[in-house]
Amino acid sequence: MMIPCPHCGERSHSEFTYGGDASVRRPDDPTGVSDQQWVDYLYIRVNPRGPHREYWHHTLGCDQWIEVRRDTLTHEIHDAATVGLQIPQRS
Ligand SMILES: [Zn+2]
């Protein structure tokens, strides 16, 4: 699988470290959520079959975190961007 790093170009996935689901958001006020909501945020993840947003760290490259939109069924990479920048949405 090749990952298009926005800083380095196409690189083998072996240069990257998977960083988890990019769609999970930390609660704005951690003290305002229940213990179960906190557990859900920390540990509960969906196991999607198809398009998925993921964090990847270019460990053996530019040392930057990127957000990748990947199909978990085909491993096709649709888009990648530096974390914090919006991935353009395709229609
Ligand atoms: Zn890179």
Coordinates of all heavy atoms in Angstrom, one line a residue:
M1 N 0.9 -1.2 0.0 CA 0.0 0.0 0.0 C 0.9 1.2 0.0 O 1.8 1.3 0.8 CB -0.9 0.0 1.2 CG -1.9 1.1 1.3 SD -3.1 0.9 2.7 CE -2.1 1.2 4.1
M2 N 0.6 2.2 -0.9 CA 1.3 3.4 -1.0 C 0.5 4.6 -0.4 O -0.7 4.7 -0.7 CB 1.7 3.7 -2.4 CG 2.6 2.6 -3.1 SD 4.2 2.5 -2.3 CE 5.0 4.0 -3.0
I3 N 1.1 5.4 0.4 CA 0.4 6.5 1.1 C 1.0 7.8 0.5 O 2.2 8.0 0.5 CB 0.6 6.5 2.6 CG1 -0.1 5.2 3.1 CG2 0.0 7.7 3.2 CD1 0.0 5.0 4.6
P4 N 0.1 8.7 0.0 CA 0.6 10.0 -0.6 C 0.8 11.0 0.5 O -0.1 11.8 0.8 CB -0.5 10.4 -1.6 CG -1.7 9.8 -0.9 CD -1.3 8.5 -0.2
C5 N 2.0 11.0 1.0 CA 2.3 12.1 2.1 C 2.3 13.4 1.4 O 2.9 13.6 0.4 CB 3.7 11.8 2.7 SG 4.2 13.1 3.9
P6 N 1.6 14.4 2.0 CA 1.5 15.7 1.4 C 2.9 16.4 1.4 O 3.1 17.4 0.6 CB 0.5 16.5 2.2 CG -0.1 15.5 3.2 CD 0.7 14.3 3.2
H7 N 3.8 16.0 2.2 CA 5.1 16.6 2.3 C 6.2 15.9 1.4 O 7.1 16.5 0.9 CB 5.6 16.7 3.7 CG 4.6 17.3 4.6 ND1 4.3 18.6 4.7 CD2 3.7 16.7 5.4 CE1 3.3 18.9 5.5 NE2 2.9 17.7 6.0
C8 N 6.1 14.6 1.3 CA 7.1 13.7 0.7 C 6.7 13.0 -0.6 O 7.6 12.5 -1.3 CB 7.6 12.6 1.7 SG 8.0 13.3 3.3
G9 N 5.5 13.0 -0.9 CA 5.0 12.3 -2.0 C 4.6 10.9 -1.7 O 4.5 10.5 -0.5
E10 N 4.5 10.0 -2.7 CA 4.1 8.6 -2.5 C 5.2 7.9 -1.8 O 6.3 7.9 -2.2 CB 3.8 8.0 -3.8 CG 2.6 8.5 -4.6 CD 1.4 7.5 -4.5 OE1 1.6 6.3 -4.4 OE2 0.3 8.0 -4.5
R11 N 4.8 7.2 -0.7 CA 5.7 6.4 0.1 C 5.0 5.1 0.5 O 3.8 5.0 0.7 CB 6.2 7.2 1.4 CG 6.9 8.4 1.1 CD 8.3 8.1 0.6 NE 9.2 9.2 0.6 CZ 9.5 10.0 -0.4 NH1 8.9 9.8 -1.5 NH2 10.4 11.0 -0.3
S12 N 5.9 4.1 0.8 CA 5.3 2.8 1.2 C 4.7 3.0 2.6 O 5.3 3.7 3.5 CB 6.5 1.8 1.3 OG 6.0 0.6 1.9
H13 N 3.7 2.2 2.9 CA 3.0 2.3 4.2 C 4.0 1.8 5.3 O 3.8 2.2 6.5 CB 1.8 1.4 4.2 CG 2.0 -0.1 4.3 ND1 2.5 -0.8 3.2 CD2 2.0 -0.9 5.4 CE1 2.6 -2.0 3.6 NE2 2.4 -2.1 4.9
S14 N 5.0 1.1 4.9 CA 6.0 0.6 5.9 C 6.8 1.8 6.6 O 7.4 1.6 7.6 CB 7.0 -0.4 5.3 OG 7.7 0.2 4.3
E15 N 6.7 3.0 6.0 CA 7.4 4.1 6.6 C 6.5 4.8 7.6 O 6.9 5.8 8.3 CB 7.7 5.2 5.5 CG 8.8 4.7 4.5 CD 9.2 5.8 3.5 OE1 8.8 6.9 3.7 OE2 9.9 5.4 2.6
F16 N 5.2 4.4 7.7 CA 4.2 5.1 8.5 C 3.8 4.2 9.7 O 4.0 3.0 9.7 CB 3.0 5.4 7.7 CG 3.2 6.4 6.6 CD1 3.7 6.0 5.4 CD2 2.8 7.7 6.7 CE1 3.9 6.9 4.3 CE2 3.0 8.6 5.7 CZ 3.5 8.2 4.5
T17 N 3.3 4.9 10.7 CA 2.7 4.3 11.9 C 1.2 4.7 11.9 O 0.9 5.9 11.8 CB 3.4 4.7 13.2 OG1 4.8 4.4 13.1 CG2 2.8 4.0 14.4
Y18 N 0.3 3.7 12.0 CA -1.1 4.0 12.1 C -1.4 4.7 13.4 O -0.9 4.3 14.5 CB -1.9 2.6 12.0 CG -3.4 2.8 12.1 CD1 -4.1 3.4 11.0 CD2 -4.0 2.4 13.2 CE1 -5.4 3.5 11.1 CE2 -5.4 2.5 13.3 CZ -6.1 3.1 12.3 OH -7.5 3.2 12.3
G19 N -2.2 5.7 13.3 CA -2.5 6.5 14.5 C -4.0 6.5 15.0 O -4.3 7.1 15.9
G20 N -4.8 5.7 14.3 CA -6.2 5.6 14.7 C -7.2 6.3 13.9 O -6.9 6.9 12.9
D21 N -8.4 6.2 14.4 CA -9.6 6.7 13.7 C -9.6 8.2 13.8 O -9.6 8.8 14.9 CB -10.8 6.1 14.4 CG -12.1 6.5 13.7 OD1 -12.2 7.4 13.0 OD2 -13.1 5.8 14.0
A22 N -9.6 8.9 12.7 CA -9.6 10.3 12.6 C -11.0 11.0 12.8 O -11.1 12.2 12.9 CB -9.0 10.8 11.3
S23 N -12.0 10.2 12.9 CA -13.3 10.7 13.1 C -13.7 10.9 14.5 O -14.7 11.5 14.9 CB -14.4 9.9 12.3 OG -14.5 8.6 13.0
V24 N -12.9 10.3 15.4 CA -13.2 10.4 16.9 C -12.7 11.7 17.4 O -11.6 12.1 17.2 CB -12.5 9.2 17.6 CG1 -12.7 9.4 19.1 CG2 -13.0 7.9 17.1
R25 N -13.6 12.4 18.1 CA -13.3 13.7 18.7 C -13.3 13.7 20.2 O -14.3 13.1 20.8 CB -14.3 14.8 18.2 CG -14.2 15.0 16.7 CD -13.0 15.8 16.4 NE -12.8 15.9 14.9 CZ -11.8 15.4 14.2 NH1 -10.8 14.8 14.8 NH2 -11.7 15.6 12.9
R26 N -12.3 14.3 20.8 CA -12.3 14.4 22.3 C -13.4 15.3 22.7 O -13.6 16.3 22.1 CB -10.9 14.9 22.7 CG -10.6 14.9 24.2 CD -9.2 15.4 24.4 NE -8.7 15.0 25.7 CZ -8.8 15.7 26.8 NH1 -9.3 16.9 26.7 NH2 -8.3 15.3 27.9
P27 N -14.1 14.9 23.8 CA -15.1 15.8 24.3 C -14.6 17.1 24.7 O -13.5 17.2 25.2 CB -15.6 15.0 25.6 CG -15.3 13.6 25.4 CD -14.0 13.6 24.6
D28 N -15.3 18.2 24.3 CA -14.9 19.5 24.6 C -14.7 19.8 26.0 O -13.8 20.5 26.4 CB -15.9 20.6 24.0 CG -16.0 20.6 22.5 OD1 -14.9 20.3 21.9 OD2 -17.0 20.9 22.0
D29 N -15.5 19.2 26.9 CA -15.4 19.4 28.3 C -15.4 18.0 29.0 O -16.4 17.4 29.3 CB -16.6 20.1 28.9 CG -16.6 20.3 30.4 OD1 -15.5 20.0 31.0 OD2 -17.6 20.6 31.0
P30 N -14.1 17.4 29.1 CA -14.0 16.1 29.7 C -14.6 15.9 31.0 O -15.0 14.8 31.4 CB -12.5 15.8 29.7 CG -11.9 16.8 28.8 CD -12.8 18.0 28.8
T31 N -14.7 16.9 31.8 CA -15.3 16.8 33.2 C -16.8 16.8 33.1 O -17.5 16.5 34.1 CB -14.9 18.0 34.1 OG1 -15.3 19.2 33.5 CG2 -13.4 18.0 34.2
G32 N -17.4 17.2 31.9 CA -18.8 17.2 31.8 C -19.5 16.0 31.2 O -20.7 16.0 30.9
V33 N -18.7 14.9 31.0 CA -19.2 13.7 30.4 C -19.3 12.6 31.5 O -18.5 12.6 32.4 CB -18.4 13.2 29.2 CG1 -18.4 14.3 28.1 CG2 -17.0 12.9 29.5
S34 N -20.1 11.6 31.2 CA -20.2 10.5 32.2 C -19.0 9.6 32.0 O -18.3 9.6 31.0 CB -21.5 9.7 31.9 OG -21.4 9.0 30.7
D35 N -18.8 8.7 33.0 CA -17.8 7.7 32.9 C -17.9 6.8 31.6 O -17.0 6.5 30.9 CB -17.7 6.8 34.1 CG -17.2 7.5 35.4 OD1 -16.7 8.7 35.2 OD2 -17.4 7.0 36.5
Q36 N -19.2 6.5 31.3 CA -19.4 5.6 30.1 C -19.1 6.4 28.9 O -18.5 5.8 27.9 CB -20.9 5.1 30.1 CG -21.1 4.2 29.0 CD -20.2 2.9 29.1 OE1 -20.2 2.3 30.1 NE2 -19.5 2.6 28.0
Q37 N -19.4 7.7 28.8 CA -19.1 8.5 27.6 C -17.6 8.6 27.5 O -17.0 8.5 26.3 CB -19.7 9.9 27.7 CG -21.2 9.9 27.5 CD -21.8 11.2 27.8 OE1 -21.5 11.8 28.8 NE2 -22.7 11.7 26.9
W38 N -16.8 8.7 28.6 CA -15.4 8.8 28.5 C -14.8 7.4 28.1 O -13.9 7.4 27.2 CB -14.8 9.2 29.9 CG -13.4 9.5 29.9 CD1 -12.4 8.8 30.4 CD2 -12.8 10.6 29.2 NE1 -11.2 9.5 30.1 CE2 -11.4 10.6 29.4 CE3 -13.3 11.7 28.4 CZ2 -10.5 11.5 28.9 CZ3 -12.4 12.6 27.9 CH2 -11.1 12.5 28.1
V39 N -15.3 6.3 28.6 CA -14.9 5.0 28.2 C -15.1 4.8 26.7 O -14.3 4.3 25.9 CB -15.6 3.9 29.0 CG1 -15.4 2.5 28.3 CG2 -15.1 3.9 30.4
D40 N -16.3 5.2 26.2 CA -16.7 5.1 24.8 C -15.7 5.9 23.9 O -15.2 5.5 22.9 CB -18.1 5.7 24.5 CG -19.1 4.7 25.1 OD1 -18.8 3.6 25.5 OD2 -20.3 5.2 25.1
Y41 N -15.3 7.1 24.4 CA -14.3 8.0 23.7 C -13.0 7.3 23.6 O -12.3 7.3 22.6 CB -14.2 9.4 24.3 CG -13.0 10.1 23.9 CD1 -12.8 10.5 22.6 CD2 -11.9 10.3 24.8 CE1 -11.6 11.2 22.2 CE2 -10.8 10.9 24.5 CZ -10.6 11.3 23.2 OH -9.4 12.0 22.8
L42 N -12.5 6.7 24.7 CA -11.2 6.1 24.8 C -11.1 4.8 24.1 O -10.0 4.5 23.5 CB -10.8 6.0 26.3 CG -10.5 7.2 27.0 CD1 -10.2 6.9 28.5 CD2 -9.3 8.0 26.4
Y43 N -12.1 3.9 24.2 CA -11.9 2.5 23.8 C -12.8 2.0 22.7 O -12.5 1.0 22.1 CB -12.1 1.6 25.0 CG -11.1 2.0 26.1 CD1 -11.5 2.5 27.3 CD2 -9.7 1.7 25.9 CE1 -10.6 2.9 28.3 CE2 -8.8 2.0 26.9 CZ -9.2 2.6 28.1 OH -8.3 2.9 29.0
I44 N -14.0 2.6 22.6 CA -15.0 2.0 21.6 C -14.8 2.6 20.2 O -14.8 3.8 20.0 CB -16.4 2.3 22.1 CG1 -16.6 1.8 23.5 CG2 -17.4 1.7 21.1 CD1 -16.4 0.3 23.7
R45 N -14.5 1.7 19.3 CA -14.3 2.1 17.9 C -15.2 1.2 17.0 O -15.4 0.0 17.3 CB -12.8 1.9 17.5 CG -11.9 2.8 18.3 CD -12.1 4.3 17.9 NE -11.2 5.1 18.7 CZ -11.4 5.7 19.8 NH1 -12.6 5.5 20.4 NH2 -10.5 6.5 20.4
V46 N -15.6 1.8 15.9 CA -16.3 1.0 14.9 C -15.3 0.3 14.0 O -14.1 0.7 14.0 CB -17.2 1.9 14.0 CG1 -18.3 2.5 14.8 CG2 -16.4 3.0 13.3
N47 N -15.7 -0.7 13.4 CA -14.8 -1.4 12.5 C -15.3 -1.3 11.1 O -16.0 -2.3 10.6 CB -14.6 -2.9 12.9 CG -13.6 -3.6 12.2 OD1 -12.7 -3.0 11.5 ND2 -13.6 -4.9 12.2
P48 N -15.1 -0.2 10.4 CA -15.9 0.1 9.2 C -15.4 -0.8 8.0 O -14.2 -1.2 7.9 CB -15.6 1.5 8.9 CG -14.2 1.8 9.5 CD -14.2 0.9 10.7
R49 N -16.3 -1.1 7.1 CA -16.0 -1.8 5.9 C -16.2 -0.8 4.8 O -17.4 -0.6 4.4 CB -16.9 -3.0 5.8 CG -16.6 -3.9 4.6 CD -17.5 -5.1 4.6 NE -17.1 -6.1 3.6 CZ -17.8 -6.3 2.5 NH1 -18.9 -5.6 2.3 NH2 -17.4 -7.2 1.6
G50 N -15.2 -0.2 4.3 CA -15.3 0.8 3.2 C -14.5 2.1 3.6 O -13.5 2.0 4.3
P51 N -15.0 3.2 3.1 CA -14.3 4.5 3.4 C -14.1 4.8 4.9 O -15.0 4.6 5.6 CB -15.2 5.5 2.7 CG -16.0 4.8 1.7 CD -16.2 3.4 2.3
H52 N -12.9 5.2 5.2 CA -12.6 5.5 6.6 C -11.5 6.6 6.7 O -10.6 6.6 5.9 CB -12.0 4.2 7.2 CG -11.9 4.2 8.7 ND1 -10.7 4.0 9.3 CD2 -12.7 4.5 9.7 CE1 -10.8 4.1 10.6 NE2 -12.1 4.4 10.9
R53 N -11.7 7.5 7.7 CA -10.7 8.5 7.9 C -9.7 8.1 9.0 O -10.2 7.7 10.0 CB -11.4 9.8 8.3 CG -12.1 10.5 7.1 CD -13.0 11.6 7.6 NE -12.3 12.5 8.5 CZ -12.9 13.1 9.5 NH1 -14.2 13.0 9.7 NH2 -12.2 13.9 10.3
E54 N -8.4 8.1 8.7 CA -7.4 7.6 9.6 C -6.3 8.6 9.8 O -5.9 9.3 8.9 CB -6.8 6.3 9.1 CG -7.9 5.3 8.8 CD -7.4 4.1 8.0 OE1 -6.4 4.2 7.2 OE2 -7.9 3.0 8.2
Y55 N -5.6 8.5 11.0 CA -4.4 9.3 11.2 C -3.2 8.3 10.9 O -3.2 7.2 11.3 CB -4.3 9.7 12.7 CG -5.2 10.9 13.1 CD1 -6.1 10.7 14.1 CD2 -5.2 12.0 12.3 CE1 -7.0 11.7 14.5 CE2 -6.1 13.1 12.7 CZ -7.0 12.9 13.8 OH -7.8 13.9 14.1
W56 N -2.2 8.9 10.3 CA -1.0 8.1 10.0 C 0.2 9.1 10.4 O 0.1 10.3 10.0 CB -0.9 7.7 8.6 CG -1.8 6.6 8.2 CD1 -3.1 6.7 7.9 CD2 -1.5 5.2 8.2 NE1 -3.6 5.4 7.6 CE2 -2.6 4.5 7.8 CE3 -0.3 4.4 8.4 CZ2 -2.7 3.1 7.7 CZ3 -0.4 3.1 8.3 CH2 -1.5 2.4 7.9
H57 N 1.2 8.5 11.0 CA 2.4 9.3 11.3 C 3.5 8.9 10.4 O 3.8 7.7 10.3 CB 2.8 9.1 12.8 CG 4.0 9.8 13.2 ND1 5.2 9.1 13.7 CD2 4.4 11.1 13.1 CE1 6.1 10.0 13.9 NE2 5.6 11.2 13.6
H58 N 4.2 9.8 9.7 CA 5.2 9.5 8.7 C 6.5 9.3 9.5 O 7.4 10.2 9.5 CB 5.4 10.5 7.6 CG 6.1 10.0 6.4 ND1 6.3 10.7 5.3 CD2 6.7 8.8 6.2 CE1 7.0 10.0 4.4 NE2 7.3 8.8 5.0
T59 N 6.6 8.2 10.2 CA 7.7 7.9 11.2 C 9.0 7.9 10.6 O 10.0 8.5 11.1 CB 7.4 6.6 11.9 OG1 6.0 6.5 12.3 CG2 8.3 6.4 13.1
L60 N 9.2 7.3 9.4 CA 10.5 7.2 8.8 C 10.6 8.2 7.6 O 11.4 8.0 6.7 CB 10.7 5.8 8.2 CG 10.6 4.7 9.3 CD1 10.8 3.3 8.7 CD2 11.7 4.9 10.4
G61 N 9.9 9.3 7.7 CA 10.0 10.3 6.7 C 10.0 11.7 7.3 O 10.9 12.0 8.1
C62 N 9.0 12.5 7.1 CA 9.0 13.9 7.5 C 8.6 14.1 9.0 O 8.5 15.2 9.5 CB 8.1 14.7 6.6 SG 6.4 14.1 6.6
D63 N 8.2 13.0 9.7 CA 7.8 13.1 11.1 C 6.5 13.9 11.3 O 6.2 14.4 12.3 CB 8.9 13.6 11.9 CG 8.7 13.3 13.4 OD1 8.2 12.3 13.7 OD2 9.2 14.1 14.2
Q64 N 5.6 14.0 10.2 CA 4.4 14.7 10.3 C 3.2 13.7 10.4 O 3.3 12.6 10.0 CB 4.2 15.6 9.1 CG 5.2 16.7 8.9 CD 5.1 17.7 10.0 OE1 4.1 18.3 10.2 NE2 6.2 18.0 10.7
W65 N 2.1 14.2 11.1 CA 0.9 13.5 11.2 C 0.0 13.9 10.0 O -0.1 15.1 9.7 CB 0.1 13.8 12.5 CG 0.7 13.0 13.6 CD1 1.6 13.5 14.5 CD2 0.4 11.7 14.0 NE1 1.9 12.5 15.4 CE2 1.2 11.4 15.2 CE3 -0.4 10.7 13.5 CZ2 1.2 10.2 15.8 CZ3 -0.5 9.5 14.2 CH2 0.3 9.2 15.3
I66 N -0.5 12.9 9.3 CA -1.4 13.2 8.2 C -2.7 12.5 8.4 O -2.8 11.5 9.2 CB -0.8 12.8 6.8 CG1 -0.5 11.3 6.7 CG2 0.5 13.6 6.6 CD1 -0.1 10.9 5.3
E67 N -3.8 13.0 7.8 CA -5.1 12.3 7.8 C -5.3 11.7 6.4 O -5.1 12.4 5.4 CB -6.2 13.3 8.1 CG -7.5 12.7 8.3 CD -8.6 13.7 8.7 OE1 -8.3 14.6 9.5 OE2 -9.7 13.6 8.1
V68 N -5.7 10.5 6.4 CA -5.8 9.7 5.1 C -7.3 9.2 5.1 O -7.8 8.8 6.0 CB -4.8 8.5 5.1 CG1 -5.1 7.7 3.9 CG2 -3.4 9.0 5.1
R69 N -7.8 9.3 3.9 CA -9.1 8.7 3.6 C -8.9 7.4 2.8 O -8.4 7.5 1.7 CB -10.1 9.7 2.9 CG -11.5 9.4 3.2 CD -12.4 10.6 2.9 NE -12.0 11.3 1.7 CZ -12.8 11.5 0.7 NH1 -14.0 11.0 0.7 NH2 -12.4 12.2 -0.4
R70 N -9.1 6.3 3.5 CA -8.8 5.0 2.9 C -10.0 4.1 2.9 O -10.8 4.1 3.9 CB -7.6 4.4 3.7 CG -7.2 3.0 3.2 CD -6.0 2.5 4.1 NE -6.4 2.1 5.4 CZ -6.8 0.9 5.8 NH1 -6.8 -0.1 4.9 NH2 -7.1 0.7 7.1
D71 N -10.1 3.2 1.9 CA -11.1 2.2 1.9 C -10.6 1.0 2.5 O -9.6 0.4 2.1 CB -11.5 1.9 0.4 CG -12.8 1.1 0.3 OD1 -12.8 0.0 1.0 OD2 -13.7 1.5 -0.4
T72 N -11.2 0.6 3.7 CA -10.6 -0.6 4.4 C -10.9 -1.9 3.7 O -10.3 -2.9 4.1 CB -11.3 -0.6 5.8 OG1 -12.7 -0.8 5.7 CG2 -11.0 0.6 6.6
L73 N -11.8 -1.9 2.7 CA -12.0 -3.1 2.0 C -11.0 -3.3 0.9 O -10.4 -4.4 0.7 CB -13.4 -3.1 1.4 CG -13.9 -4.3 0.7 CD1 -14.0 -5.5 1.7 CD2 -15.3 -4.1 0.1
T74 N -10.7 -2.3 0.1 CA -9.8 -2.4 -1.0 C -8.4 -1.8 -0.7 O -7.5 -2.0 -1.5 CB -10.4 -1.6 -2.2 OG1 -10.4 -0.2 -1.9 CG2 -11.8 -2.0 -2.6
H75 N -8.2 -1.1 0.4 CA -7.0 -0.4 0.8 C -6.7 0.8 -0.2 O -5.5 1.3 -0.2 CB -5.8 -1.4 0.9 CG -6.0 -2.4 1.9 ND1 -6.0 -2.1 3.3 CD2 -6.2 -3.7 1.8 CE1 -6.3 -3.2 3.9 NE2 -6.4 -4.2 3.1
E76 N -7.6 1.1 -1.0 CA -7.4 2.3 -1.9 C -7.3 3.6 -1.1 O -8.2 3.8 -0.2 CB -8.5 2.4 -2.9 CG -8.4 3.6 -3.9 CD -9.5 3.7 -4.9 OE1 -10.5 2.9 -4.8 OE2 -9.5 4.6 -5.7
I77 N -6.3 4.4 -1.3 CA -6.2 5.7 -0.6 C -6.9 6.7 -1.5 O -6.6 6.9 -2.7 CB -4.7 6.1 -0.5 CG1 -4.0 5.0 0.3 CG2 -4.6 7.4 0.2 CD1 -4.2 4.9 1.7
H78 N -7.9 7.5 -1.0 CA -8.6 8.4 -1.7 C -7.9 9.8 -1.6 O -7.8 10.5 -2.6 CB -10.0 8.5 -1.3 CG -10.8 7.2 -1.5 ND1 -11.2 6.9 -2.7 CD2 -11.2 6.3 -0.6 CE1 -11.8 5.7 -2.6 NE2 -11.8 5.3 -1.4
D79 N -7.6 10.2 -0.4 CA -7.0 11.6 -0.2 C -6.1 11.5 1.0 O -6.2 10.6 1.9 CB -8.1 12.6 0.1 CG -9.0 12.8 -1.1 OD1 -8.5 13.3 -2.1 OD2 -10.2 12.5 -1.0
A80 N -5.2 12.5 1.1 CA -4.4 12.7 2.3 C -4.1 14.2 2.5 O -4.0 14.9 1.5 CB -3.1 11.9 2.2
A81 N -4.0 14.6 3.8 CA -3.7 16.0 4.0 C -3.0 16.1 5.4 O -3.1 15.1 6.2 CB -5.0 16.8 4.1
T82 N -2.3 17.1 5.6 CA -1.7 17.4 6.9 C -2.8 17.5 7.9 O -3.9 18.1 7.7 CB -0.9 18.7 6.9 OG1 0.1 18.6 5.8 CG2 -0.2 19.0 8.2
V83 N -2.6 16.9 9.1 CA -3.6 17.0 10.2 C -3.9 18.5 10.5 O -3.0 19.3 10.6 CB -3.2 16.3 11.4 CG1 -4.1 16.6 12.6 CG2 -3.1 14.8 11.2
G84 N -5.2 18.8 10.5 CA -5.6 20.2 10.8 C -6.0 20.9 9.5 O -6.7 21.9 9.6
L85 N -5.6 20.4 8.4 CA -6.1 20.9 7.1 C -7.2 20.0 6.6 O -7.2 18.8 6.7 CB -5.0 21.0 6.1 CG -3.8 21.8 6.5 CD1 -2.7 21.8 5.4 CD2 -4.2 23.3 6.7
Q86 N -8.2 20.6 6.0 CA -9.4 19.9 5.6 C -9.1 19.1 4.3 O -8.5 19.6 3.3 CB -10.5 20.9 5.3 CG -11.8 20.2 5.1 CD -12.5 19.9 6.5 OE1 -11.8 19.5 7.4 NE2 -13.8 20.0 6.5
I87 N -9.4 17.8 4.3 CA -9.3 17.0 3.1 C -10.5 17.5 2.2 O -11.6 17.5 2.6 CB -9.4 15.5 3.4 CG1 -8.2 15.0 4.1 CG2 -9.6 14.7 2.1 CD1 -8.2 13.6 4.5
P88 N -10.2 17.8 0.9 CA -11.3 18.2 0.0 C -12.3 17.0 -0.2 O -11.8 15.9 -0.3 CB -10.6 18.5 -1.3 CG -9.1 18.6 -1.0 CD -8.9 17.9 0.3
Q89 N -13.5 17.3 -0.1 CA -14.6 16.3 -0.2 C -14.9 16.1 -1.7 O -15.1 17.1 -2.4 CB -15.8 16.7 0.6 CG -15.6 16.8 2.0 CD -15.2 15.5 2.7 OE1 -15.8 14.4 2.4 NE2 -14.1 15.5 3.4
R90 N -15.0 14.9 -2.1 CA -15.4 14.6 -3.5 C -16.9 14.3 -3.5 O -17.4 13.8 -2.5 CB -14.6 13.4 -4.0 CG -13.2 13.6 -4.2 CD -12.5 12.4 -4.8 NE -11.1 12.7 -5.0 CZ -10.2 11.7 -5.2 NH1 -10.6 10.5 -5.3 NH2 -8.9 12.0 -5.4
S91 N -17.5 14.6 -4.6 CA -19.0 14.3 -4.7 C -19.2 12.9 -5.2 O -18.3 12.3 -5.6 CB -19.7 15.4 -5.5 OG -19.1 15.5 -6.7
Ligands
ZN1 ZN 6.2 12.7 4.8

